[in-house]
């Protein structure tokens, strides 16, 4: 194969992956839109769109160079080398980075101010996320070399169970805690007001878009055509099915749980999707579906943490489980490819959680102290749509 043809094929391969993950942001938008109450639907759509734009700027100018030591201030001739492969690789990795605020958005829905959240997005995508991304995927700061020396293998995260999902979920947790619950969610006499999803069809549409796009997220993480393997696709398939079935059973036929089940399974299989046997992927996804349902219910009802879409259980906990599952089901003893160490997986996952949670705490803590992060009582009662965007998703009447 000639170099020009190989470069063109690789650039197209990773570009198609980037486009599929860009489409997943529509999934994030509709999943949130369907889950929040009607008076906050417009805000959900606006956050995902504008967060993506802010993420692009932050990652282009700062984040990508922190993670990979590559800047874009060369001449266009240099940037076009290898059919522009380095440029489309940036686009592909940006779509991962932009998932961080898209994840957080679902946890802080219905009560967060708009512009302070955009500031948080800029810092998290520009600094916090690429710090761990560089460690895990680009051997920055010698962490991977140290893990290899100590435990025989590096920390393995093929498509971002920990790098993307656990980081997003654990960065969201301090934001949710600092914001506090939506007004009226938990009453003084201990009752819990149910805020049911405004649109199950939109929630389901969002979950379907995410599920389909995930095959770009996982398969195209090979980043070059010669490394592409159908094993990743079938493992993704098995994990999403496992997650769906356990979430259906554990969630007692609840459609909200059933539609988050495939997402839980896919979050968990990202890390080891290139190593596991499909049966291992099925079990990994199945466990993730159960983790989501049980921990969503526990956080909302027992701990009274008002994480609207359950992003900490879905991305934070299922992502961490995925990091560990790669060490379990990736091992040769359980039918995997081998080349993983359970202790390296544990250490890498723990490091990702620490960086994400402390980053989220610092960013949202400082914003809370300085500009405030929460809508006032009247704005929250009216809904973020009217308070921030001056229009509702479904206006009931014409206004003069």
């Amino acid at each position: 194969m000639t170099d020009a043809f190989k470069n063109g094929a690789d650039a197209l391969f990773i570009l198609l992956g980037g486009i599929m993950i860009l489409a997943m942001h529509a999934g994030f938008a509709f999943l949130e839109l369907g889950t929040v109450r009607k008076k906050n639907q417009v805000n959900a759509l606006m956050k995902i769109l504008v967060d993506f734009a802010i993420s692009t700027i932050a990652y282009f100018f700062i984040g990508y160079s922190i993670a990979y030591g590559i800047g874009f201030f060369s001449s266009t001739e240099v940037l076009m080398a290898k059919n522009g492969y380095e440029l489309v690789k940036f686009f592909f990795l940006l779509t991962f980075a932009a998932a961080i605020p898209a994840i957080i958005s679902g946890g802080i829905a219905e009560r967060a101010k708009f512009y302070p959240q955009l500031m948080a997005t800029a810092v998290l995508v520009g600094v916090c996320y690429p710090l761990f991304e560089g460690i895990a995927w680009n051997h920055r700061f010698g962490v991977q070399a140290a893990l290899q020396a100590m435990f025989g293998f590096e920390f393995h995260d093929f498509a971002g169970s920990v790098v993307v999902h656990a980081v997003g979920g654990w960065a969201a947790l301090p934001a949710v805690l600092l914001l506090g619950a939506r007004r009226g969610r938990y009453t003084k006499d201990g009752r819990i007001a149910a805020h049911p999803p405004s649109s199950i069809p939109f929630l389901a549409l969002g979950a379907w878009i995410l599920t389909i796009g995930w095959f770009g997220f996982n398969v195209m993480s090979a980043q070059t055509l010669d490394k592409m393997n159908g094993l990743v696709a079938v493992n993704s398939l098995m994990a999403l099915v496992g997650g769906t079935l356990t979430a259906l059973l554990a969630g007692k036929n609840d459609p909200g749980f059933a539609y988050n089940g495939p997402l839980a399974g896919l979050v968990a299989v990202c890390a080891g999707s290139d190593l596991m046997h499909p049966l291992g992927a099925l079990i990994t996804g199945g466990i993730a579906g159960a983790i989501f349902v049980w921990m969503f219910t526990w956080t909302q009802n027992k701990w009274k943490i008002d994480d609207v879409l359950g992003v900490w259980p879905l991305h934070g906990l299922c992502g961490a489980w995925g990091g560990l599952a790669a060490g379990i089901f990736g091992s040769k003893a359980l039918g995997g490819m081998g080349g993983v160490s359970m202790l390296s997986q544990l250490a890498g996952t723990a490091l990702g959680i620490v960086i994400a949670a402390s980053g989220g705490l610092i960013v949202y803590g400082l914003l809370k102290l300085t500009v405030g992060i929460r809508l006032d009582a009247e704005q929250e009662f009216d809904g973020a749509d009217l308070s921030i965007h001056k229009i509702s998703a479904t206006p009931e009447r014409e206004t003069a």
Side-chain angles (χ1 to χ4, degrees):
M1 194 191 286
T2 64
D3 281 351
F5 186 77
K6 182 188 183 317
N7 291 338
D10 287 343
L12 180 61
F13 176 69
I14 203 168
L15 172 63
L16 292 174
I19 292 166
M20 287 178 77
I21 308 169
L22 177 60
M24 288 174 75
H25 288 266
F28 280 120
F30 279 96
L31 186 73
E32 184 175 333
L33 181 158
T35 308
V36 298
R37 289 171 292 176
K38 274 199 172 136
K39 60 185 179 181
N40 297 296
Q41 290 181 328
V42 172
N43 184 241
L45 294 172
M46 291 290 288
K47 280 189 300 180
I48 302 296
L49 174 68
V50 184
D51 271 337
F52 187 86
I54 297 287
S55 297
T56 303
I57 300 297
Y59 198 63
F60 184 85
F61 286 104
I62 307 166
Y64 196 67
S65 56
I66 289 176
Y68 299 101
I70 295 169
F72 295 103
F73 299 99
S74 331
S75 69
T76 308
E77 283 83 359
V78 173
L79 297 176
M80 282 172 62
K82 293 200 296 188
N83 298 71
Y85 177 78
E86 289 300 332
L87 286 175
V88 285
K89 183 180 172 184
F90 156 77
F91 170 51
F92 178 75
L93 290 165
L94 158 72
T95 57
F96 281 66
I100 302 297
I103 290 166
I104 294 169
S105 176
I108 63 173
E110 303 209 334
R111 63 216 191 272
K113 287 183 175 177
F114 189 62
Y115 285 101
Q117 168 54 16
L118 299 183
M119 293 178 205
T121 293
V123 180
L124 291 169
V125 176
V127 182
C128 300
Y129 168 77
L131 190 68
F132 185 65
E133 181 189 17
I135 289 169
W137 286 346
N138 194 40
H139 298 92
R140 301 287 261 188
F141 312 115
V143 174
Q144 290 283 35
L147 291 175
Q148 179 143 22
M150 283 189 286
F151 308 125
F153 294 104
E154 295 179 350
F155 168 64
H156 183 90
D157 187 355
F158 179 68
S161 284
V162 181
V163 176
V164 179
H165 297 286
V167 167
W170 285 90
L173 183 61
V176 169
L177 294 172
L178 287 164
L179 268 173
R182 289 167 288 178
R183 285 179 174 84
R185 179 87 170 98
Y186 304 112
T187 61
K188 287 197 174 82
D189 56 7
R191 285 181 305 168
I192 300 170
H195 289 345
S198 59
S199 172
I200 296 290
F202 275 142
L203 184 160
L205 175 67
W208 270 117
I209 295 170
L210 283 164
T211 300
I212 294 162
W214 225 296
F215 285 86
F217 198 96
N218 285 2
V219 176
M220 268 77 162
S221 283
Q223 296 192 15
T224 53
L225 202 53
D226 57 323
K227 294 192 178 76
M228 182 272 166
N229 200 302
L231 175 71
V232 179
V234 173
N235 281 346
S236 303
L237 174 72
M238 297 305 274
L240 83 86
V241 169
T244 303
L245 295 176
T246 55
L248 174 76
L249 295 171
K252 303 183 173 114
N253 304 333
D254 181 295
F257 284 137
Y259 265 100
N260 274 286
L263 309 183
L266 285 160
V267 164
V269 85
C270 288
S273 55
D274 62 327
L275 300 177
M276 295 177 183
H277 187 278
L279 290 174
L282 181 68
I283 298 166
T284 298
I287 291 170
I291 288 172
F292 172 71
V293 174
W294 292 333
M295 290 309 297
F296 179 87
T297 310
W298 196 265
T299 48
Q300 299 277 343
N301 298 347
K302 292 280 191 294
W303 295 337
K304 296 192 166 43
I305 297 171
D306 194 14
D307 174 356
V308 181
L309 268 70
V311 298
W312 178 66
L314 182 67
H315 299 276
L317 297 180
C318 293
W321 157 240
L324 304 181
I328 299 167
F329 294 103
S331 66
K332 287 197 164 161
L334 287 171
M337 292 281 292
V340 278
S341 151
M342 195 59 217
L343 290 171
S344 285
Q345 293 308 106
L346 202 59
T349 303
L351 180 63
I353 289 170
V354 168
I355 289 173
S358 51
L361 185 61
I362 292 164
V363 171
Y364 285 99
L366 286 172
L367 284 168
K368 185 173 180 175
L369 287 172
T370 51
V371 293
I373 53 176
R374 182 160 181 154
L375 297 173
D376 65 38
E378 188 178 348
Q379 290 173 318
E380 193 182 328
F381 177 79
D382 290 340
D385 293 0
L386 290 175
S387 300
I388 299 168
H389 310 290
K390 307 292 186 267
I391 191 166
S392 62
T394 49
E396 299 300 326
R397 59 190 172 84
E398 291 182 12
T399 53

